[in-house]
Amino acid sequence: MLRKIRIGLSVILLILITLYFLDFAELLPFQLKVLEEIQLLPALLALNIGVLVSLTVLTFVFGRVYCSSICPLGVYQDVVSRIRKWTSSGKKKKLVGKKRYKYLDPMNWLRYGFLALTVLGFIVGLHVLVGLLDPYSAFGRMTVHLFKPVYQAGNNLLFSIFTPFGDHTFYKIAIYMLSISSLVIALITLAVVTILSWRNGRVYCNTVCPVGTTLDFISRFSLFQIRFDSSACTLCGSCARSCKSSCIDFKQMKVDSSRCVACFNCIDACKETGMHYRLPRKG
């Protein structure tokens, strides 16, 4: 049930945020701007204390649910992983199902290196560097520079189809490119994020993304965490194979909560109810 709720919320937010970036006709209500305001780095740059405190409390109580449902780039990675699963077939599908993911040690030197680079860029006012690493900015860059022209071309196609019949619902708009450098950066961002998520799930979130690394300092102390039930666990490893964050060491019955994005795939995959999302038990 938790996984279904998370997927439903993630899909809704991803669609709304994508439409927010694509809306050239300004048809969407202005209130959707709140989807930008609740993103961590934009809130930090705007010194939105209310949002920052809310996200901190949310992470401290429930873990990195921000990464699993609110961040559009994180949800995009889940979409890529799901497409890979769908495109697997036959013998290859069985192989992928058995060896989809496995526990990996955290690459802390890389995680904290990117975070330090982001903090340095923020301090010295190098917002271009900060924007390159910020997941919300990266998703917006991909959407505006790569997907929006396609969306506009579709609008112009509908214009050419319906206008001869006297239907003026659509109107023709000019499609233009903002800059070559922005387009190249958007293409590189799309390629890097897509390839990493296709091969290794949420590795981008736990090695490159400064927001994910920032939240990991809080989520390791979160009240609700994915926890093993040693009396029910059979050490089958299905939880680790379904963990796109590669943070479950089933042999030691440990979950690295700093990297866990609370996707609940492991709970859904466990047939013995050996994993639970709950508060710590006494003792």
Side-chain angles (χ1 to χ4, degrees):
M1 178 61 71
L2 287 174
R3 180 173 176 268
K4 291 180 179 178
I5 294 174
R6 190 266 305 172
I7 291 176
L9 179 62
S10 302
V11 170
I12 291 173
L13 289 178
L14 179 64
I15 291 174
L16 290 177
I17 292 174
T18 302
L19 290 176
Y20 176 73
F21 281 114
L22 296 178
D23 186 26
F24 63 87
E26 299 182 355
L27 298 176
L28 298 177
F30 179 76
Q31 287 77 6
L32 279 184
K33 186 174 174 59
V34 71
L35 296 174
E36 177 182 338
E37 295 171 349
I38 63 174
Q39 303 298 322
L40 182 59
L41 202 54
L44 180 61
L45 293 174
L47 294 179
N48 192 329
I49 304 301
V51 172
L52 294 175
V53 171
S54 299
L55 291 178
T56 300
V57 173
L58 180 69
T59 306
F60 179 72
V61 176
F62 299 108
R64 286 174 56 181
V65 292
Y66 172 91
C67 299
S68 64
S69 298
I70 300 176
C71 175
L73 192 66
V75 180
Y76 170 77
Q77 293 172 71
D78 291 346
V79 172
V80 173
S81 297
R82 179 56 62 91
I83 292 174
R84 179 194 173 180
K85 183 178 180 180
W86 285 342
T87 54
S88 302
S89 59
K91 185 177 180 179
K92 182 180 178 181
K93 183 176 182 179
K94 296 179 181 180
L95 181 64
V96 172
K98 291 180 179 179
K99 299 183 179 180
R100 183 65 178 96
Y101 301 113
K102 64 179 181 179
Y103 175 76
L104 297 174
D105 291 325
M107 293 183 284
N108 290 330
W109 63 274
L110 197 56
R111 300 164 73 190
Y112 301 141
F114 278 114
L115 178 60
L117 195 63
T118 305
V119 173
L120 180 63
F122 182 79
I123 293 175
V124 302
L126 194 58
H127 291 168
V128 173
L129 176 61
V130 177
L132 286 175
L133 297 174
D134 170 42
Y136 183 74
S137 300
F139 181 81
R141 188 164 51 248
M142 289 160 43
T143 306
V144 171
H145 292 282
L146 302 177
F147 304 144
K148 192 172 184 177
V150 178
Y151 181 73
Q152 293 172 324
N155 170 84
N156 289 348
L157 177 62
L158 293 175
F159 167 81
S160 62
I161 293 175
F162 287 97
T163 300
F165 296 98
D167 188 337
H168 299 283
T169 303
F170 302 94
Y171 59 92
K172 190 172 184 179
I173 60 173
I175 303 175
Y176 58 91
M177 184 170 53
L178 297 178
S179 70
I180 295 293
S181 58
S182 298
L183 177 63
V184 171
I185 293 173
L187 284 170
I188 294 174
T189 302
L190 178 66
V192 170
V193 174
T194 302
I195 291 172
L196 289 178
S197 55
W198 184 273
R199 293 173 59 87
N200 299 300
R202 285 294 193 104
V203 66
Y204 181 92
C205 293
N206 287 321
T207 55
V208 179
C209 179
V211 172
T213 304
T214 300
L215 294 178
D216 88 32
F217 291 109
I218 306 172
S219 63
R220 65 184 65 197
F221 303 110
S222 60
L223 299 180
F224 283 88
Q225 294 183 10
I226 304 293
R227 306 177 192 274
F228 277 91
D229 183 349
S230 58
S231 63
C233 179
T234 60
L235 298 178
C236 66
S238 59
C239 55
R241 289 193 294 271
S242 66
C243 178
K244 56 196 174 189
S245 294
S246 300
C247 67
I248 298 179
D249 186 354
F250 74 94
K251 295 180 181 178
Q252 301 296 326
M253 289 191 183
K254 292 182 179 180
V255 179
D256 184 354
S257 57
S258 69
R259 290 185 289 159
C260 175
V261 296
C263 67
F264 310 121
N265 284 359
C266 55
I267 296 177
D268 192 66
C270 181
K271 304 304 180 184
E272 307 297 332
T273 64
M275 305 201 76
H276 303 277
Y277 179 65
R278 56 175 171 79
L279 294 166
R281 290 180 178 175
K282 189 175 181 179

